[in-house]
Amino acid sequence: MTGVDEVRRIETDAAPTRFARGWHCLGLAKDFRNGTPHQVKAFGQELVVFAGADGKINVLDGFCRHMGGNLAQGTVKGNEIACPFHDWRWGGDGRCKSIPYARRVPLRARTGSWPTLEQDNLLFVWNDPQGNPPPVDVTIPIIEGATRDDWTDWVWYTTVIEGAHCREIVDNIVDMAHFFYVHYSFPTYFKNIFEGPVATQLQKGVGREDARPQATQSGVAKMVGNTSVASYHGPSFMIDDLTYHYEDADVESVLINCHYPISENSFVLQYGIIVQKAAHLDDPEGMARKMGDFIRIGFEQDVAIWKNKARIDNPLLCEEDGPVYQLRRWYEQFYVDVEDVTAEMTERFEFEIDTTRPNEAWRAEVEANIAARASS
């Protein structure tokens, strides 16, 4: 068969064994500041995360360079992590600071130390396969409400995804149609902008009345839609300025969607939300929990898809599917050496989907479903 009759075949390369260059969020900083070491599996290896007496959180390679002891099973002593095997003391800079039974520390007593960033009550670690430190112009924007008293604390969720590369979740930023079929809402406006290390999704949406009730919350009326400005800053950390519109008021929130790779085919997905303590909200903390639980349902729907889908490098697209190939070109910049990043990967690109046809079809489907339910 040739031409239009030729069967489209799925092309699939193996998932990259290299891990993306950039800042990756490991979670809430307070969870690592409890005086004990924490074992983290990331970037294809074992890491140990610990906070010293000075409060600084450190990330080191997970195994002692002396005889291979697991540092995560050791003890925090002062500003150092002590190996459980022979008590070698490792500082956050990767240098062995002391060996209690030895006259001197060997000059080559060094282990891997990972650059960290603590910001907005979150802990980040820098990964670069070339071993370079983070450039000063590669940053994570400060989230204004994260440390302010007029916003709630983070409501935070963590789940491990097995059998999928983290590219699957990044693809979502251009995938308009899945919001209707998977998440029971549909976008009335959808646009993407890629530039440098930032990929943005601009979206306005409404819920599907046939799939889930448009619930009210204490102190506010029926929800009528939402506005979202969601940007990946680097390969794995997305900040979403998310506003829920109710009949008589808005609820302002910030949603974080982030991940770090465990291996080439598994990753840790994390997400969290904070809500502004507006005067019309009777219980802002309760609102944040309800919103977080609702968002958790959405991510669980994604996970069910990822676990059963094929990896596909040549997706067959229609006009309303969004700039999947352009997004993947943007994403590639984090998987090549810095000197191999091309202008095609980083130059500004904008794409707005015409939502007229999708919304006509989706509205008709929703109304038909509601009518069928009413007559049954």
Side-chain angles (χ1 to χ4, degrees), residues 160-314:
V160 176
I161 311 300
E162 300 282 358
H165 188 269
C166 43
R167 186 183 72 178
E168 300 292 350
I169 188 171
V170 178
D171 274 349
N172 276 2
I173 204 167
V174 297
D175 188 354
M176 180 193 71
H178 96 288
F179 285 98
F180 180 82
Y181 297 105
V182 180
H183 300 313
Y184 307 140
S185 65
F186 53 94
T188 57
Y189 175 82
F190 199 92
K191 181 177 181 178
N192 288 114
I193 303 172
F194 312 144
E195 187 171 21
V198 181
T200 297
Q201 175 201 87
L202 307 174
Q203 181 183 173
K204 295 180 181 179
V206 295
R208 285 183 58 176
E209 298 95 330
D210 64 327
R212 56 182 171 86
Q214 302 304 290
T216 60
Q217 301 287 357
S218 176
V220 291
K222 180 180 177 182
M223 189 172 72
V224 294
N226 64 79
T227 301
S228 168
V229 180
S231 295
Y232 270 101
H233 298 274
S236 67
F237 189 77
M238 189 191 81
I239 303 173
D240 185 0
D241 293 313
L242 181 60
T243 303
Y244 285 102
H245 306 292
Y246 290 81
E247 288 180 334
D248 60 354
D250 288 345
V251 176
E252 303 288 346
S253 69
V254 176
L255 169 67
I256 296 301
N257 163 20
C258 61
H259 61 270
Y260 63 85
I262 300 172
S263 68
E264 60 266 31
N265 282 305
S266 61
F267 60 95
V268 173
L269 171 64
Q270 300 186 92
Y271 46 99
I273 194 166
I274 55 174
V275 172
Q276 189 174 31
K277 299 177 181 178
H280 59 82
L281 293 179
D282 295 338
D283 181 11
E285 289 81 7
M287 172 68 92
R289 289 191 297 273
K290 289 177 181 178
M291 291 169 64
D293 287 343
F294 177 73
I295 291 166
R296 175 178 55 82
I297 293 172
F299 276 117
E300 289 175 348
Q301 292 165 332
D302 278 325
V303 171
I305 298 290
W306 298 334
K307 286 184 175 181
N308 293 280
K309 71 178 292 295
R311 177 181 172 89
I312 181 167
D313 293 331
N314 64 330

Side-chain angles (χ1 to χ4, degrees), residues 6-261:
E6 185 175 355
V7 173
R8 176 79 170 196
R9 300 190 183 278
I10 290 179
E11 297 177 3
T12 305
D13 291 332
T17 56
R18 185 171 188 164
F19 300 103
R21 178 182 61 257
W23 287 110
H24 294 73
C25 181
L26 294 183
L28 298 176
K30 67 178 182 180
D31 291 343
F32 298 99
R33 193 175 276 111
N34 62 354
T36 63
H38 297 260
Q39 186 172 33
V40 173
K41 296 181 179 181
F43 313 112
Q45 64 183 88
E46 303 279 349
L47 305 177
V48 61
V49 183
F50 70 97
D54 59 3
K56 184 180 184 302
I57 303 178
N58 308 285
V59 179
L60 301 178
D61 286 356
F63 297 108
C64 182
R65 294 305 195 254
H66 172 221
M67 292 288 286
N70 188 334
L71 294 178
Q73 296 177 357
T75 307
V76 178
K77 297 181 178 180
N79 292 324
E80 298 148 13
I81 181 74
C83 178
F85 203 176
H86 301 91
D87 205 28
W88 284 40
R89 315 285 178 83
W90 298 92
D93 61 358
R95 294 182 180 274
C96 182
K97 303 299 184 180
S98 67
I99 305 169
Y101 62 87
R103 182 180 300 112
R104 65 179 68 90
V105 175
L107 293 177
R108 296 183 178 180
R110 296 286 302 276
T111 190
S113 175
W114 299 66
T116 60
L117 168 68
E118 189 175 340
Q119 182 174 289
D120 298 327
N121 297 320
L122 304 172
L123 176 66
F124 298 85
V125 64
W126 172 261
N127 178 63
D128 187 345
Q130 293 179 273
N132 296 322
V136 294
D137 60 339
V138 177
T139 60
I140 300 294
I142 292 175
I143 302 168
E144 184 180 355
T147 55
R148 279 177 27 183
D149 292 338
D150 59 334
W151 285 70
T152 67
D153 292 333
W154 290 111
V155 177
W156 200 256
Y157 303 81
T158 301
T159 185
V160 176
I161 311 300
E162 300 282 358
H165 188 269
C166 43
R167 186 183 72 178
E168 300 292 350
I169 188 171
V170 178
D171 274 349
N172 276 2
I173 204 167
V174 297
D175 188 354
M176 180 193 71
H178 96 288
F179 285 98
F180 180 82
Y181 297 105
V182 180
H183 300 313
Y184 307 140
S185 65
F186 53 94
T188 57
Y189 175 82
F190 199 92
K191 181 177 181 178
N192 288 114
I193 303 172
F194 312 144
E195 187 171 21
V198 181
T200 297
Q201 175 201 87
L202 307 174
Q203 181 183 173
K204 295 180 181 179
V206 295
R208 285 183 58 176
E209 298 95 330
D210 64 327
R212 56 182 171 86
Q214 302 304 290
T216 60
Q217 301 287 357
S218 176
V220 291
K222 180 180 177 182
M223 189 172 72
V224 294
N226 64 79
T227 301
S228 168
V229 180
S231 295
Y232 270 101
H233 298 274
S236 67
F237 189 77
M238 189 191 81
I239 303 173
D240 185 0
D241 293 313
L242 181 60
T243 303
Y244 285 102
H245 306 292
Y246 290 81
E247 288 180 334
D248 60 354
D250 288 345
V251 176
E252 303 288 346
S253 69
V254 176
L255 169 67
I256 296 301
N257 163 20
C258 61
H259 61 270
Y260 63 85

